[in-house]
Amino acid sequence: MNLTKQFFKYVSQNIFGLIGTSCYILADTYFIAQAAGTDGVTLLNLCLPMYNLIFAFGSMIGLGAATRYAILQAQGEARAQRFFSNAILCACLIAIPFMLAGAFCPGTLLQLMGGDADIVALGLNYTRIFLLFTPFFMCNYILSAFVRNDGDPSLAMVATLSGSLFNVVVDYIFIFPMELGLPGAALATAISPVLSIAICSRHFFQKSNTLTFVRQAPSARLLVQSCQLGISGFVGELSSAVTTTVFNFLLLRLAGNVGVAAYGVVANFALVATAIFNGVAQGAQPLISQCYGKNEMTGAKKLLLLGCGTALALAAVLYGAVFGFTNTFVALFNSENSALMAEYAHSGMRIYFLGYFFAGCNIVAAGYLGAVNRPTEATITSVSRGVAAIVTCCIHADLLVLLSDIDGLYTANPHTHPDAKLIPVVEEITPEIEMLAGGAGSALGTGGMLTKVTAAKRATEAGVDMIITNGAHAEVLYDIVEGKPVGTRFVGRKA
């Protein structure tokens, strides 16, 4: 099989596997939204950074060790086997603090993430259960990476998809027919990697298997050598965790639990998008490492170009889907029909997904650099993606943009009054302004102008300007950045 066909075989199977993983998180969110409403989605978004941190360690150890294994196997070195055993042992040790936190202080963790008393009470057992299963999440990531690098991407895909399907089905059964609520959702999510591990373990009984478990003490030296090549994955997941955490705190201050729930919708769909690009990077990694180990750099560079081209094409498809079906996607997780949550999530989806034109290529490039044993460059490449988001959201927010189906606040309802005038600036939200906003609902079904002005009132009270404008055309964001007058600007109160 030529290199291009191998690329699309490995990448497609890995994408399907990782989409399965992210889709069971979407299913988890959907079922919890139906069972617990906005507070349930808020809880999941507060827990998301903990998941990110678990996957960060699993990714760093698993991908790094598997890459070392693939390179050394291609070079015919027997010590390659030690990396598999060491990865499993070290992951189990690193999981211990997560398990202790889940057993003894899950409530404290939720409080640190910004949860109020109601959210802590709702999520106590959910958080405890999934943290106690941390070793299985990490080891599933590691075993899947090694099976894929040992020439069996199909089994790795089947294992991942089976675990995901199991989670979706059992999630529903535990939450609704068995009435276990959120603890049931956590239990279904926690069991799914156990099933995936069991299916991946079939690889050890196949004739093509070259993996063996070596009896040895955990080695810090081998762990460091593994982490050098897996650090880009760690940085990517860690930056997601930090970004989500900072966004959560900002949104709690500006918009309360509803704002966090809206960001939770965006973040969950972003997991699917990120999984797709990780699928490209991780699917190409075994082939790139084999080329590198055999000193066939022409083939490795060809795979990089194929990866970047695939990432750009997928980014275009994703943004088209998000732009065309924003309201449908948001409605899936808005069981309480909160107009304010829908407004926030609608704007967030369309803005957030523009970033994948850069992020997709960045993920592929970082994966390539790790696969050819260039850990420093891989880390810098991943950090460039994470720092951009982290620095942006750590700087005090001074502007919120709410994209709607209307150009802004008018002197009257423009749908029924053709002579209505757009109000470019609102210095203060007075009762008269609220009266102007009390007209008919949005044609997009995402709430009336009164809902938008209510959101603006909360933001301006926190000292943040807010712009309401028409989101039918993405280029309006460039006009805002350039300082052009767009829509209606509500001026924040200055201390």
Side-chain angles (χ1 to χ4, degrees):
M1 187 182 296
N2 67 41
L3 201 57
T4 302
K5 288 183 178 179
Q6 283 185 303
F7 170 83
F8 285 110
K9 175 187 175 183
Y10 273 68
V11 165
S12 61
Q13 291 179 342
N14 206 53
I15 286 176
F16 283 127
L18 289 177
I19 285 179
T21 301
S22 55
C23 282
Y24 84 61
I25 296 175
L26 276 181
D28 201 36
T29 305
Y30 174 76
F31 291 139
I32 288 176
Q34 301 305 308
T38 302
D39 281 352
V41 180
T42 301
L43 167 66
L44 286 184
N45 206 47
L46 295 180
C47 290
L48 198 56
M50 301 183 213
Y51 279 113
N52 285 137
L53 192 57
I54 292 170
F55 290 137
F57 281 108
S59 172
M60 178 173 64
I61 299 171
L63 293 179
T67 301
R68 286 286 183 199
Y69 171 83
I71 293 172
L72 293 172
Q73 279 287 98
Q75 295 173 345
E77 296 198 30
R79 64 190 182 98
Q81 298 296 340
R82 297 187 61 200
F83 282 92
F84 172 63
S85 307
N86 197 67
I88 296 292
L89 293 171
C90 289
C92 292
L93 290 175
I94 291 171
I96 291 174
F98 290 90
M99 298 172 68
L100 292 175
F104 298 108
C105 55
T108 303
L109 283 178
L110 287 173
Q111 288 176 337
L112 289 173
M113 301 307 294
D116 58 23
D118 291 338
I119 296 297
V120 171
L122 181 68
L124 198 65
N125 288 328
Y126 178 91
T127 307
R128 174 178 286 118
I129 290 170
F130 85 75
L131 285 175
L132 287 173
F133 278 76
T134 297
F136 296 100
F137 289 115
M138 290 186 181
C139 289
N140 181 40
Y141 212 122
I142 292 167
L143 186 56
S144 177
F146 271 91
V147 168
R148 189 169 57 248
N149 274 270
D150 201 31
D152 203 349
S154 299
L155 181 60
M157 178 192 70
V158 169
T160 305
L161 289 177
S162 298
S164 301
L165 180 61
F166 171 86
N167 180 78
V168 171
V169 174
V170 176
D171 215 359
Y172 174 81
I173 294 172
F174 282 0
I175 293 176
F176 298 109
M178 295 183 66
E179 298 182 350
L180 295 178
L182 265 66
L187 191 59
T189 301
I191 294 174
S192 63
V194 179
L195 177 62
S196 296
I197 289 171
I199 294 173
C200 264
S201 297
R202 288 184 54 212
H203 180 72
F204 294 108
F205 301 98
Q206 296 177 358
K207 292 181 179 179
S208 60
N209 170 52
T210 63
L211 293 173
T212 56
F213 193 89
V214 180
R215 294 183 62 182
Q216 63 183 57
S219 168
R221 180 175 59 84
L222 293 180
L223 178 62
V224 170
Q225 290 177 2
S226 298
C227 292
Q228 285 176 337
L229 297 185
I231 192 68
S232 61
F234 179 84
V235 171
E237 291 285 353
L238 186 63
S239 65
S240 295
V242 174
T243 303
T244 301
T245 302
V246 176
F247 264 48
N248 284 342
F249 278 111
L250 283 174
L251 290 169
L252 283 169
R253 178 173 65 87
L254 297 175
N257 286 349
V258 174
V260 176
Y263 180 53
V265 174
V266 178
N268 274 274
F269 279 108
L271 283 174
V272 178
T274 303
I276 290 172
F277 296 110
N278 280 332
V280 177
Q282 294 175 22
Q285 176 267 312
L287 299 175
I288 295 171
S289 293
Q290 288 171 19
C291 288
Y292 173 77
K294 296 174 182 178
N295 201 28
E296 298 174 357
M297 293 309 297
T298 301
K301 290 178 180 178
K302 179 181 178 179
L303 291 166
L304 172 61
L305 292 175
L306 284 170
C308 289
T310 303
L312 286 172
L314 289 171
V317 172
L318 280 171
Y319 192 74
V322 166
F323 197 87
F325 300 97
T326 312
N327 295 313
T328 303
F329 292 153
V330 171
L332 289 172
F333 304 101
N334 192 12
S335 62
E336 296 177 346
N337 295 317
S338 168
L340 191 55
M341 175 184 166
E343 286 286 353
Y344 287 142
H346 183 275
S347 299
M349 289 278 285
R350 291 190 169 184
I351 296 171
Y352 196 98
F353 273 74
L354 281 171
Y356 279 107
F357 286 96
F358 161 74
C361 290
N362 179 279
I363 291 169
V364 171
Y368 168 82
L369 292 168
V372 296
N373 199 18
R374 292 163 64 182
T376 303
E377 293 98 323
T379 302
I380 293 171
T381 302
S382 288
V383 167
S384 70
R385 180 176 83 252
V387 166
I390 294 170
V391 170
T392 300
C393 65
C394 283
I395 295 173
H396 179 71
D398 58 5
L399 178 65
L400 289 180
V401 179
L402 187 60
L403 301 180
S404 180
D405 65 326
I406 194 168
D407 294 332
L409 179 64
Y410 282 81
T411 54
N413 188 336
H415 297 303
T416 56
H417 296 77
D419 58 341
K421 304 291 185 183
L422 178 69
I423 302 173
V425 179
V426 175
E427 297 286 348
E428 181 182 0
I429 300 177
T430 62
E432 290 77 18
I433 292 294
E434 292 179 327
M435 285 291 292
L436 286 176
S442 163
L444 284 177
T446 54
M449 182 55 72
L450 184 59
T451 301
K452 301 173 181 65
V453 171
T454 300
K457 187 174 184 179
R458 178 154 191 163
T460 55
E461 286 174 350
V464 176
D465 287 11
M466 179 168 164
I467 292 175
I468 296 176
T469 189
N470 198 315
H473 304 289
E475 56 266 24
V476 72
L477 297 173
Y478 296 104
D479 293 337
I480 293 172
V481 171
E482 292 171 3
K484 295 179 181 179
V486 172
T488 300
R489 178 183 286 261
F490 294 82
V491 180
R493 294 180 185 177
K494 307 303 177 186

